Structure formats: C-alpha cells, structure tokens
Amino acid sequence: MMNTSSEGPDVSMFSSSPPLPSALTVFQTYRAVSQDGEVQFCCSYNHIGRHVPEELRVTLYRGLFGEEEEQEVCTSSFSHNQTLFQTKGERGGVGAGNRETPVLCRGQVEAGMVNLTISGLRGNDTDLYRCAIEVMYPPPYLRVFGNGTLLYIPEEPDCPALEPKRRDDSGSLWTRPPLVSVAWVSLLLMVVSNVAFVLYQVLQRKKRFGGIAPMISQNDGRFGYGNFQ
C-alpha cells in the first residue's frame, strides 16, 4: 500500500539556481578621421550581471602590444547617471617634446556608450587607440579592452610666409606690392615709352624738314628740260 502524506514536498530537495555571472564586453568604432586636430569616436560597452554598474572608468590607450608598451592618453571615472566629463591627457608619441602640449579628452555618456572627443592632435599622432572600460562598483571588478580605433590625423598644410614689413624714409610701414601688379605696371610703362619714342621721332622729322621751300622747275624751252638754278 502506498504511503501518502498530507505534508507538501520537501523544499530541501530543490537547489537554488546559481547567481548570474558578471560579464563585460567593449566595442569601438573601426576608423575615425580628425578635422582641425579634433576627432570623435565611440566606445560601446555591454554589462551582464545581477547589479547595474554605478561607477565606471574609461581609459584611452595608444598602441596594441600589451599594457607595458601601450601609452595612456587620458582617463576619467563617471557614474551611471552622469552625462558629461572632461579631462586633460598626454600625447602618446615617443619623446618628451610630444608630451609638452596636452590633449583634451571630452566624453558624452549614454546608456552603454561613451562618445569620446579628443582635441589637440597632430599628424604624428595617427595610430591605433584602444579604450578600456572598468566596472569600479559594485563588485566584482571588471576591466575589458575594446578592439581599437584607427585615428587618422591629417597633416596641417604650412601657411605661406607673410611679406616682411619695412619702413620707408617717412617712417610709414611699407609692404611689397603683389608680383602680378608689378608685372602689369612694367608692361604698361614699356608700351607708353615706345609710343612716346615714336611720336618724338615723328615730331623731330617734321621740325627738321618743315622749313625747306619746295624747288620750282624753270624751263626755257631750248633744251627740253628744266633749267635749275
């Protein structure tokens, strides 16, 4: 005979489900081109876990060959309800001269996304840049690198040198007139000189031969030709 009981099933027979493991993934824009030394690109992140991250940190690195050889450009922490942040950073190039002029990093935070704007870049700053997203709080601590963004910074064209200003005898500033104007003035002066020379020759010839009276032929009819005196 089957033994029945009015009591419910033993809850100890059912084990509780394990906690959902935390995970973090980061994706970046593949390529970005700067304008006037400023470039924009996006670092997207996806967090899976029991708790929503309340404090995060984003760090921008230059290079692809491990943390030892990567050079930190800028870093900043932000909260999940923060929308903007701004910080100064260093250039990633080799040599102290490239680090003297800092760059400016600005971030606009959205849900699962950090839009970065880097200002003050030069042509030799063209390189692969990777952003690292860190979950600072709550635990567990997570840190993941993105796949990298190629930042292309075109070289700025050299500006033409300005004509040096000099002072004339009166002390006023004088600048060299444009070469095109000088050429046209020279050509005009040459034409005027040639015309004046031709007019001068014509007037001289007229003045030289204008006072000579024309010779009148006299013929006495004896020889059939004129008798010139």
Side-chain angles (χ1 to χ4, degrees), residues 15 37 42 44 53 56 77 89 92 106 111 145 161 163 169 184 190 206 226:
S15 60
C42 177
S44 303
L56 301 98
S77 299
R106 303 191 305 272
F145 278 86
E163 286 288 340
D169 296 337
W184 278 106
M190 185 181 299
K206 185 176 181 181

Side-chain angles (χ1 to χ4, degrees), residues 48-151:
I48 300 175
R50 299 179 61 183
H51 304 285
V52 177
E54 297 181 13
E55 183 180 355
L56 301 98
R57 177 184 294 169
V58 59
T59 306
L60 183 65
Y61 293 91
R62 176 178 178 173
L64 186 62
F65 304 103
E67 297 183 30
E68 294 77 10
E69 298 184 21
E70 286 178 335
Q71 297 169 336
E72 181 179 317
V73 179
C74 57
T75 182
S76 180
S77 299
F78 59 94
S79 60
H80 67 284
N81 57 0
Q82 188 175 350
T83 57
L84 295 172
F85 66 84
Q86 179 172 301
T87 182
K88 290 185 178 180
E90 294 182 347
R91 328 186 76 89
V94 178
N98 212 22
R99 297 176 179 267
E100 293 178 356
T101 306
V103 297
L104 182 64
C105 300
R106 303 191 305 272
Q108 182 175 1
V109 182
E110 300 179 9
M113 181 182 302
V114 180
N115 292 312
L116 290 175
T117 302
I118 315 299
S119 305
L121 297 174
R122 300 172 181 171
N124 56 0
D125 293 322
T126 298
D127 207 332
L128 186 71
Y129 289 77
R130 297 203 297 166
C131 56
I133 302 293
E134 300 174 75
V135 177
M136 309 300 295
Y137 184 82
Y141 168 80
L142 297 173
R143 184 190 190 204
V144 178
F145 278 86
N147 53 324
T149 300
L150 177 60
L151 301 187

Side-chain angles (χ1 to χ4, degrees), residues 34-55:
S34 75
Q35 292 184 352
D36 299 328
E38 183 175 281
V39 64
Q40 299 179 356
F41 62 100
C42 177
C43 292
S44 303
Y45 63 92
N46 182 29
H47 178 265
I48 300 175
R50 299 179 61 183
H51 304 285
V52 177
E54 297 181 13
E55 183 180 355

